[in-house]
Amino acid sequence: MADEITVTVVDDHPAMLVGIEQWYAAAPEPLRVAASGATSKTAWLPPGDAADVVVFDLQLAGQTTPAFGELRRLVDAGRNVIVYTMRDDEQTALTCLDLGAVTFLTKTEGADHLVSATLAAARDRPYTPPALAGALSANTSSDRPKLSIREEEVLVEWFQSESRDLVAQRLNLSPKTVTTYLDRVRLKYANAGRPARSKAALVARAIQDGLISVDDL
């Protein structure tokens, strides 16, 4: 049996919290809500501070603007954050990826996508639901950095693997060399004014630049 994946849900709608818990309980693999609440404190206090994944609503009670600052704090602390929100505009989706969110889902995308995204986040795999795919394909305002053939190869292989060790095995490289290539790619994107702090953000850049398609993931 697969190891249980635990989730902290930050959302100020009680019905949504109940619904998400039921979706996870019915998932084909072990998923459990470890903590849930209406503020980001839920993710910082036990037991929510130890969950594998954080599902985070950008629009929380008492806030008139999206909670980008709280999202950044969670990402900077090393948390795997899925943004799950009613907002569906392209700029919000891309901003969340730039800040380091694992992926971005709208609440209209429902149970199947949230469950799949949660499993992917816990396993360090990219996940691109329809709304995010649309935002990526619509965004054409970027400058593509010049990557070497080997950098592109390592990058694409990493998107399709669970770990850097697997990439190293498949490409006959050392894990340290894989990390070096990925660090170079991140630096090139940062220098081009298109930072990619998370794996999801690198996926977004690669899709925008035609290095990989959503169907390849």
Side-chain angles (χ1 to χ4, degrees):
M1 184 174 180
D3 292 339
E4 181 181 66
I5 295 168
T6 55
V7 186
T8 294
V9 183
V10 179
D11 197 299
D12 60 354
H13 294 86
M16 183 59 67
L17 296 176
V18 172
I20 291 174
E21 189 164 359
Q22 292 176 344
W23 294 346
Y24 285 149
E29 299 185 48
L31 286 170
R32 178 175 61 86
V33 174
S36 61
T39 72
S40 60
K41 289 182 180 179
T42 306
W44 295 104
L45 299 174
D49 61 336
D52 299 308
V53 179
V54 178
V55 173
F56 185 75
D57 184 2
L58 280 178
Q59 299 296 133
L60 299 176
Q63 295 188 222
T64 58
T65 58
F68 292 133
E70 288 302 314
L71 171 60
R72 179 67 178 265
R73 284 185 62 216
L74 287 166
V75 170
D76 285 348
R79 308 298 295 276
N80 293 320
V81 185
I82 296 171
V83 173
Y84 192 56
T85 178
M86 289 300 296
R87 296 181 67 97
D88 61 1
D89 59 287
E90 172 194 330
Q91 188 54 56
T92 297
L94 296 175
T95 297
C96 288
L97 291 190
D98 286 347
L99 291 173
V102 172
T103 193
F104 176 95
L105 286 89
T106 67
K107 289 184 177 178
T108 59
E109 291 177 298
D112 289 345
H113 284 295
L114 181 58
V115 167
S116 295
T118 303
L119 293 172
R123 294 166 180 162
D124 195 30
R125 289 180 175 173
Y127 186 77
T128 309
L132 180 56
L136 295 177
S137 62
N139 182 47
T140 59
S141 60
S142 58
D143 294 322
R144 177 176 174 175
K146 184 174 178 57
L147 305 182
S148 71
I149 293 175
R150 197 56 160 168
E151 287 169 347
E152 290 185 8
E153 185 179 27
V154 170
L155 188 63
V156 172
E157 189 68 40
W158 187 48
F159 295 155
Q160 299 173 336
S161 301
E162 292 188 26
S163 70
R164 300 186 186 197
D165 287 343
L166 284 176
V167 176
Q169 292 174 17
R170 290 173 180 173
L171 298 181
N172 196 28
L173 299 170
S174 71
K176 183 177 180 180
T177 299
V178 170
T179 297
T180 297
Y181 277 120
L182 293 175
D183 287 345
R184 287 178 188 170
V185 171
R186 290 186 191 279
L187 180 60
K188 287 182 178 181
Y189 271 108
N191 289 340
R194 301 167 64 204
R197 303 173 70 238
S198 68
K199 191 172 188 176
L202 272 177
V203 169
R205 301 308 185 206
I207 292 173
Q208 292 164 358
D209 293 343
L211 298 177
I212 195 169
S213 72
V214 173
D215 292 337
D216 293 328
L217 300 174

